[in-house]
Amino acid sequence: MTEQAVISGTKSVLPKDDLDYEVIVIGAGVGGIYQIKKLLDLGIDATVLEGEPDLGGTWYRNRYPGARFDSESYTYGYSFSRELLDEWHWKERFSGQPENLRYLNYVADKFGLREHMQFDCKVERIVFDEALDGWRLYLRGDRTLSCRFVVTALGPLSTPTMPSYPGMDRFRGDSFHTFYWPEDEVPLAGKRVGVIGTGATGVQVIGEIADKVGQLTVFQRRPNWTAPLNNGPISDEEMAAIRDRYEEIFENCANSPGGFEHEPDRRGFYSLTRDERQALWDRLYDEPGFGIWLSNFVEIFTEEKANAEFSEYIANRIRQRVDDPDVAEKLIPRDHGFGIQRVPLETNYLEAYNRDNVQLVDISETPIQEITETGLRTSESSYELDLIVYATGFDALTGAYDRIDIRGLGGVSLRERWEQGPSTFMGVLISGFPNLLMVSGPQSGSVSTNFPRGIENGVDWITDLLTHARARHHHRIDAIADAEQAWTKHVADTYRGMLLRKAQGWFTGYNSNVAGHEAGTVRHVVYNGGGPKYVAKLNEVAASGYDGIRFG
Ligand code: NAP
């Protein structure tokens, strides 16, 4: 049978009652783990396919030194089980990768989820079979599976991107993207290390390894605004107090736009004096976590003048902490204000530049021309290196979908449909791609918040939707095209009035290493209305009997 025959449903190779699973979840990260738990609780025949050798997603990869939450650990963990909350002791306010991976394994083992996961299962192609009212999945290695519903839990930042400098394959030392930092220890002592990229990842690596390597050269194209993480241990007593407060903590997260306990300051930027504003900033700068970003005045995000005043405050902090004034000026962003791109939180990052063994190279002035056998060459100098670390980011949100050949009704390719940017209903469904449900998909509110808080909202809604459809014996769930258009327009509207629309980062769907992305063009990949509004909209759709969705 030809592929087209399968797609158009003229003939089916599988009888309808012969699906391998009712639901296949793709991805065993934070989203996939929670999704399979919910499906199993309902007695649904489901499995998780994971391309990596084990579970954990983001926290299975990203083993680079310094990788840790910048959400408070106790707001990042799952909220669904009181028993789990009582058992788990977060050791640090912002827990590191090894502990985070241990946590996810603990959750999977505690709830018996691992046996419902299949590892090393890379999904390469999925095709909707109309006769079957279900999906056929084609896995690397010639394996195929079928199911009624596919839930994608692919992760918003799971597709790393590399630059394309000439000579990259010539380098004789070690080199890798931070996402693929090896599991085995990478010797750093005495090594000449180059780090390319100064986003949230680069900032974490640089702060962590500066005092462990021989020589560190940072190749920075555009500086990022940063703020201190102010991490610290969580004692037994503090953990007990956190446990007592869990209900309140999750309630606070649910009520805040970002899914944190940090609430925007709504007193009004201009109703306070400059000294009063500065007093708030002095306090927030010394507090742990994202308060400096998310407990700030709302005008910071919408008004150039307010943003400029605050950006200058942070610029002065940089000038105070970095000894060499020339280096300090290079570390101050000029092309965007504070907080309109994702703010990296740092530990010892700025102080790293005060060390004799650390050098900052501004590659916007002197671009990298090629990677050589022994290092790299910019337009000005050559640098001898033993290790090159690419902290060059991700093809966010849509990248993971583009990597799978996804074919909906009539064989339509999702990659082609989304070429100019994604379009979805609620960030969960795509019209013409029935029975495909996205956890933390593009245009969902789940990706503009503290990720697990958004993931839980998304998974709960998807699970309720499946329950609704199953109870009515529906075989098909599809978004109505008009409803999708309306949601996509609404998402675009959430960029209006926000300074972030001028950013060049993943919030605006931009990555310079991805063909087709144009600097200055906004792809509406994120719903910016905040968690509470997003959840209210999800609830509204459910309460209406799922207006915007066609069942069949
Ligand atoms: P990123 O923010 O996209 O930063 C990538 C960096 O690489 C930028 O400095 C970029 O410069 C540079 N770069 C990219 N391509 C380059 C090229 N061809 N030549 C030179 N420089 C290049 O990526 P990221 O740092 O991996 O962070 C991505 C997201 O992951 C974060 O925003 C955050 O959401 C998440 N993250 C979270 C945590 C956490 O929770 N603790 C930690 C790390 C990351 P330009 O700015 O000039 O493009």
Side-chain angles (χ1 to χ4, degrees):
M1 171 176 294
T2 65
E3 191 63 65
Q4 192 52 41
V6 172
I7 293 165
S8 63
T10 51
K11 224 170 160 195
S12 169
V13 291
L14 280 180
K16 284 198 184 201
D17 59 353
D18 203 11
L19 295 162
D20 292 314
Y21 295 95
E22 186 172 354
V23 181
I24 291 182
V25 179
I26 309 180
V30 177
I33 291 171
Y34 182 46
Q35 183 65 77
I36 191 68
K37 165 87 176 78
K38 294 282 286 188
L39 295 170
L40 295 174
D41 286 351
L42 289 173
I44 292 179
D45 178 28
T47 191
V48 181
L49 304 179
E50 167 59 57
E52 299 290 352
D54 209 340
L55 61 84
T58 277
W59 301 107
Y60 177 80
R61 285 282 160 218
N62 288 303
R63 292 164 190 263
Y64 62 83
R68 60 177 62 253
F69 296 151
D70 40 25
S71 307
E72 282 74 8
S73 309
Y74 49 87
T75 70
Y76 192 100
Y78 295 111
S79 72
F80 65 81
S81 159
R82 183 67 232 188
E83 216 178 86
L84 174 63
L85 292 168
D86 285 340
E87 284 168 7
W88 189 260
H89 182 146
W90 292 107
K91 303 287 186 333
E92 289 178 277
R93 186 172 275 272
F94 304 96
S95 177
Q97 178 272 335
E99 184 73 351
N100 306 345
L101 187 56
R102 258 196 299 281
Y103 171 74
L104 294 175
N105 275 281
Y106 180 83
V107 173
D109 292 337
K110 177 178 172 60
F111 296 104
L113 308 178
R114 188 182 290 280
E115 52 263 41
H116 301 279
M117 297 177 175
Q118 304 178 47
F119 301 114
D120 289 313
C121 286
K122 188 96 192 137
V123 178
E124 293 185 324
R125 175 172 167 77
I126 71 172
V127 178
F128 189 73
D129 181 329
E130 294 184 39
L132 204 63
D133 263 342
W135 287 92
R136 291 175 189 283
L137 292 85
Y138 299 82
L139 278 55
R140 182 173 296 164
D142 282 344
R143 189 173 167 212
T144 58
L145 290 171
S146 62
C147 63
R148 177 79 66 222
F149 300 102
V150 168
V151 179
T152 49
L154 304 179
L157 295 157
S158 56
T159 308
T161 50
M162 294 284 276
S164 48
Y165 300 126
M168 282 171 68
D169 52 351
R170 243 182 4 217
F171 182 59
R172 290 203 304 254
D174 280 335
S175 65
F176 37 76
H177 192 284
T178 41
F179 188 74
Y180 292 113
W181 190 286
E183 200 169 338
D184 295 338
E185 199 183 331
V186 176
L188 294 174
K191 301 288 182 194
R192 297 161 302 177
V193 179
V195 174
I196 303 175
T198 51
T201 302
V203 161
Q204 285 187 332
V205 183
I206 292 160
E208 182 68 25
I209 68 172
D211 64 352
K212 300 181 177 63
V213 301
Q215 173 70 35
L216 176 61
T217 312
V218 177
F219 298 93
Q220 171 190 272
R221 189 164 63 182
R222 287 186 317 137
N224 252 303
W225 295 102
T226 61
L229 178 66
N230 295 318
N231 192 18
I234 297 180
S235 67
D236 288 352
E237 296 71 41
E238 284 166 321
M239 196 59 225
I242 287 167
R243 286 200 190 99
D244 285 347
R245 223 168 58 73
Y246 261 132
E247 236 171 81
E248 179 193 337
I249 289 171
F250 290 124
E251 182 75 19
N252 290 342
C253 292
N255 290 329
S256 86
F260 292 93
E261 282 203 295
H262 309 290
E263 258 292 310
D265 193 311
R266 300 185 192 279
R267 285 176 297 172
F269 188 94
Y270 299 105
S271 60
L272 300 183
T273 64
R274 188 177 264 262
D275 284 350
E276 287 169 329
R277 293 196 283 269
Q278 171 134 357
L280 172 71
W281 297 337
D282 285 346
R283 177 168 67 72
L284 293 177
Y285 197 81
D286 292 335
E287 283 182 4
F290 276 132
I292 192 77
W293 189 24
L294 304 177
S295 298
N296 217 314
F297 302 104
V298 283
E299 291 85 347
I300 301 289
F301 300 99
T302 55
E303 289 188 24
E304 299 276 6
K305 197 167 146 239
N307 186 285
E309 184 182 314
F310 180 59
S311 296
E312 188 54 23
Y313 172 87
I314 296 289
N316 284 330
R317 287 290 195 155
I318 296 172
R319 293 179 183 114
Q320 284 157 15
R321 287 175 57 192
V322 176
D323 296 342
D324 181 331
D326 291 339
V327 174
E329 292 310 312
K330 281 190 198 308
L331 289 167
I332 297 172
R334 314 277 166 195
D335 68 331
H336 68 280
F338 184 97
I340 74 164
Q341 293 183 177
R342 167 42 158 93
V343 177
L345 295 183
E346 47 84 23
T347 305
N348 301 328
Y349 174 64
L350 294 175
E351 284 70 21
Y353 295 101
N354 298 335
R355 299 179 58 85
D356 291 340
N357 68 332
V358 178
Q359 183 187 3
L360 178 66
V361 176
D362 183 343
I363 53 169
S364 67
E365 283 174 6
T366 57
I368 295 174
Q369 309 237 300
E370 64 167 343
I371 307 293
T372 63
E373 286 184 6
T374 56
L376 66 77
R377 191 170 60 74
T378 67
S379 57
E380 190 179 60
S381 297
S382 288
Y383 298 86
E384 297 291 298
L385 301 167
D386 303 305
L387 168 64
I388 300 178
V389 177
Y390 293 95
T392 44
F394 298 88
D395 186 359
L397 291 156
T398 51
Y401 288 86
D402 288 345
R403 298 302 182 283
I404 303 174
D405 184 8
I406 301 176
R407 303 280 166 161
L409 295 176
V412 169
S413 149
L414 183 63
R415 193 182 298 148
E416 282 168 25
R417 168 83 77 82
W418 281 1
E419 207 166 357
Q420 303 303 316
S423 140
T424 73
F425 178 59
M426 307 302 295
V428 178
L429 288 147
I430 309 152
S431 164
F433 293 79
N435 298 0
L436 181 69
L437 304 153
M438 300 181 287
V439 175
S440 294
Q443 301 189 333
S444 74
S446 306
V447 287
S448 48
T449 64
N450 191 359
F451 285 149
R453 305 279 59 81
I455 283 170
E456 285 189 345
N457 293 333
V459 167
D460 289 349
W461 195 77
I462 286 172
T463 310
D464 288 349
L465 174 59
L466 286 173
T467 308
H468 176 94
R470 291 174 91 232
R472 288 157 185 78
H473 307 288
H474 295 312
H475 279 186
R476 257 196 215 193
I477 303 176
D478 199 359
I480 295 168
D482 287 353
E484 175 175 310
Q485 266 175 29
W487 178 254
T488 300
K489 182 182 174 303
H490 176 61
V491 169
D493 288 345
T494 67
Y495 281 78
R496 286 218 183 98
M498 301 287 284
L499 295 175
L500 71 81
R501 72 188 183 282
K502 300 181 177 174
Q504 277 187 44
W506 72 263
F507 287 1
T508 48
Y510 175 70
N511 180 318
S512 68
N513 304 306
V514 178
H517 285 199
E518 270 176 53
T521 306
V522 179
R523 289 155 56 90
H524 301 117
V525 292
V526 171
Y527 170 79
N528 297 299
K533 281 191 189 154
Y534 179 64
V535 171
K537 287 192 179 292
L538 287 176
N539 291 342
E540 219 174 89
V541 173
S544 70
Y546 296 99
D547 261 359
I549 297 177
R550 183 183 300 114
F551 295 93

